[in-house]
């Protein structure tokens, strides 16, 4: 709930972000919402860095890079420029 309130507040600013870092609790099922709500906040060259369980597969978005560290992964998702 708190995450959705924060996104709502941020979505009504005209600010775009170069970097957004997200490290949610792995078992809370927040990955899809974080991606959905964060990507529109990125500037053209912006990058969302999402730390997640290596079991979680990210699809249908622009992945710039991905790094696997055992059971944890970092995925870098890009803004408009990266498409």
């Amino acid at each position: 709930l708190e995450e959705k309130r924060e996104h709502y507040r941020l979505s009504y600013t005209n600010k775009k972000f170069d970097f957004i870092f997200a490290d949610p609790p792995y078992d809370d099922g927040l990955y899809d919402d974080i991606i959905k709500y964060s990507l529109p906040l990125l500037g053209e060259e912006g990058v969302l860095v999402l730390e997640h369980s290596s079991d979680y597969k990210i699809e249908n978005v622009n992945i710039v890079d991905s790094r696997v560290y055992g059971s944890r992964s970092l995925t870098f998702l890009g803004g408009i420029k990266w498409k």
Side-chain angles (χ1 to χ4, degrees):
L1 183 60
E2 182 64 32
E3 295 84 7
K4 289 184 181 183
R5 267 188 262 164
E6 187 62 20
H7 172 263
Y8 180 80
R9 186 180 72 77
L10 289 171
S11 67
Y12 283 95
T13 70
N14 290 325
K15 295 180 182 178
K16 295 292 183 179
F17 298 90
D18 294 327
F19 295 99
I20 298 174
F21 297 92
D23 181 13
Y26 294 135
D27 296 327
D28 283 356
L30 297 173
Y31 300 134
D32 291 333
D33 282 345
I34 288 171
I35 293 169
K36 176 182 171 182
Y37 294 128
S38 297
L39 289 180
L41 298 174
L42 290 175
E44 287 185 16
E45 297 181 13
V47 175
L48 165 63
V49 181
L50 179 63
E51 183 175 345
H52 57 90
S53 168
S54 295
D55 294 334
Y56 178 73
K57 302 301 177 211
I58 298 174
E59 299 174 338
N60 301 321
V61 292
N62 188 35
I63 296 175
V64 176
D65 195 6
S66 185
R67 308 288 173 95
V68 177
Y69 302 99
S71 64
R72 305 295 181 233
S73 294
L74 288 177
T75 299
F76 301 80
L77 301 118
I80 297 169
K81 178 189 174 211
W82 300 104
K83 290 185 178 180

